[in-house]
Amino acid sequence: MSVTLTVQDKLTLRTAAYGAVTLMAAAGAAGRPHRAATDGSIALYSATGLVGHVLAEKSKGMDLNGTSVAALADRVLPALTAAMTVLKEQDPAEADNFRRTVVIAVEAAGRAHQGEPGPVMAETARKITEALDAA
C-alpha cells in the first residue's frame, strides 16, 4: 500500500512523537530531563519504515516550547491522536509502527529517570498511550 503524507501530516507526526518525548522529559524534570529527552529522541531517530523516514527529517515549524507542561500537552496529545488517525486511514501497519515507536521512545525517556519513575511520569506515559489509542 502506498502512503502519501502531506507536509502538514509529516509535521503532525514529528510534533506528536518528539512532543511525547518532551512531555516525558518535562514530567521528570526533577530527575534527568536532558537524559530523558536524549534517550527518547534516539529511539525516535532509530525508527524504521515510513515512520523512520518522517521522524529523521529536520522539521521547521515544530513548536514544542511551552510555558507549562499543560500548554505542551494541549498541543502534543491531540497531535498524537491526529497522527494515528492519518496513518490508520492510509496504512494500518504504519500506524502500528508509529505507535510502537512512540511507546518505545516514551519508555526510553522514562528509564532515564533515577530510580523508579514517579507518579507524574507514569501518568504522563498513560496519557500519551491513551492519546495514541484514541484514534
Side-chain angles (χ1 to χ4, degrees):
M1 179 178 277
S2 177
V3 178
T4 305
L5 297 175
T6 66
V7 171
Q8 183 59 46
D9 292 340
K10 291 177 181 181
L11 181 60
T12 299
L13 265 65
R14 286 187 212 104
T15 298
Y18 286 99
V21 169
T22 303
L23 272 175
M24 288 298 290
R32 299 168 68 187
H34 293 289
R35 177 69 188 259
T38 299
D39 289 352
S41 294
I42 289 170
L44 294 176
Y45 196 76
S46 300
T48 59
L50 171 73
V51 168
H53 289 287
V54 171
L55 296 179
E57 290 178 23
K58 297 289 183 199
S59 181
K60 292 181 181 173
M62 190 169 57
D63 178 18
L64 296 177
N65 297 321
T67 56
S68 67
V69 173
L72 181 60
D74 287 345
R75 285 193 302 276
V76 172
L77 297 176
L80 286 162
T81 302
M84 288 296 293
T85 299
V86 165
L87 290 172
K88 278 184 179 180
E89 288 173 358
Q90 294 205 28
D91 187 348
E94 283 301 331
D96 290 341
N97 184 22
F98 180 77
R99 186 187 186 288
R100 279 191 309 275
T101 298
V102 171
V103 168
I104 288 168
V106 165
E107 289 172 354
R111 281 192 304 272
H113 193 273
Q114 293 177 332
E116 287 293 315
V120 174
M121 285 189 87
E123 179 64 10
T124 301
R126 185 195 65 74
K127 287 179 181 178
I128 290 168
T129 303
E130 190 176 87
L132 287 166
D133 294 340

